[in-house]
Amino acid sequence: MRILISNDDGVYAPGIAALARVLAEIGEIQVVAPDRNRSGASNSLTLDRPLEPHHHDSGFISLNGTPTDCVHMGASEVFGMAPDLVVSGINAGANLGDDVLYSGTVAAAMEGRHLGLPPLAVSLASHHPKHFDSAALVTRDLVGRLGELNLAPRTVLNVNVPDLPLAEIKGVHVTRLGHRSLADKPVASADPRGKVRYWIAGAGDAADCGPGTDFYAVAEGYVSITPLQIDMTQYSGMDSVAEWLEKPL
């Protein structure tokens, strides 16, 4: 198995090192990651300038671009490997519910949707994560079983792991995405010259977080796996839109 590894926390993040170390036990790996933290980059591509690869002593490759750039480049074989699979992570922090809309971790996995095996986005659910080894071992077990999984094409698996020692993780739940409440307003701050700038506020609190959701599973000590589809068409709404258009103006 040839595994392309990326993330949005950057090439020096501890999560990607833990992931690479463990996945190297079960396949040939290549790491292509941003040269710095690109959290929240979503599915953006860099189109206004060329990308510069840097080859590190660790064997990792970094790019001055987004997580999607990294997987786009790696999957196109410009660095010498034709991957079967993309694994993104291990993110320092959860990607639950609406987080998937903004997450560079999830976006990197999505860019591997055309490969032979379903891509994984892996996150450790803590603001100050400690147990990257737990998430890495969970990921290794999942990757080793992907060949047995029958999913629709272009499905992405969003995996969130509680920040616990492996022995304290209770199991794995298949979940749906929960939802967050609206985030706080941007926070104004003045620089030393008096110019006002704004910080984007943190994500909103969990609002839809009952049993069956990814929020609930992680809070109860379970790994959450949510299959995500790329096709965002709301098929149930097509008839309503068609009827609306048929009405005279």
Side-chain angles (χ1 to χ4, degrees), residues 20-210:
R21 183 171 58 252
V22 169
L23 292 185
E25 299 172 3
I26 61 171
E28 177 187 352
I29 68 165
Q30 184 174 77
V31 176
V32 185
D35 60 0
R36 56 191 172 88
N37 191 315
R38 295 304 304 266
S39 296
S42 188
N43 298 87
S44 59
L45 282 168
T46 301
L47 302 177
D48 61 344
R49 56 177 172 79
L51 298 168
E52 302 175 18
H54 178 75
H55 294 260
H56 297 257
D57 292 340
S58 62
F60 295 3
I61 301 168
S62 63
L63 285 178
N64 58 334
T66 68
T68 301
D69 290 331
C70 293
V71 177
H72 185 79
M73 294 279 285
S76 67
E77 305 178 36
V78 297
F79 300 125
M81 188 180 82
D84 303 306
L85 165 71
V86 169
V87 181
S88 177
I90 300 166
N91 192 64
N95 277 301
L96 300 165
D98 308 89
D99 299 342
V100 302
L101 297 173
Y102 309 102
S103 168
T105 304
V106 176
M110 284 183 173
E111 193 65 13
R113 63 192 179 275
H114 298 298
L115 300 180
L117 293 168
L120 278 72
V122 184
S123 303
L124 194 54
S126 171
H127 292 298
H128 303 286
K130 298 178 181 177
H131 299 285
F132 287 105
D133 54 336
S134 297
L137 292 171
V138 166
T139 304
R140 184 189 65 184
D141 291 345
L142 295 174
V143 168
R145 299 173 59 188
L146 281 178
E148 307 164 14
L149 182 59
N150 183 19
L151 283 174
R154 297 180 296 281
T155 301
V156 175
L157 297 177
N158 188 41
V159 181
N160 282 275
V161 182
D163 190 23
L164 298 170
L166 189 63
E168 296 180 20
I169 295 176
K170 297 178 182 178
V172 181
H173 281 182
V174 181
T175 61
R176 65 173 177 86
L177 294 177
H179 295 286
R180 293 187 183 276
S181 58
L182 190 65
D184 293 334
K185 293 181 179 180
V187 179
S189 63
D191 69 15
R193 293 181 174 84
K195 184 175 179 60
V196 176
R197 304 176 187 273
Y198 293 88
W199 288 96
I200 296 294
D205 294 331
D208 175 12
C209 55

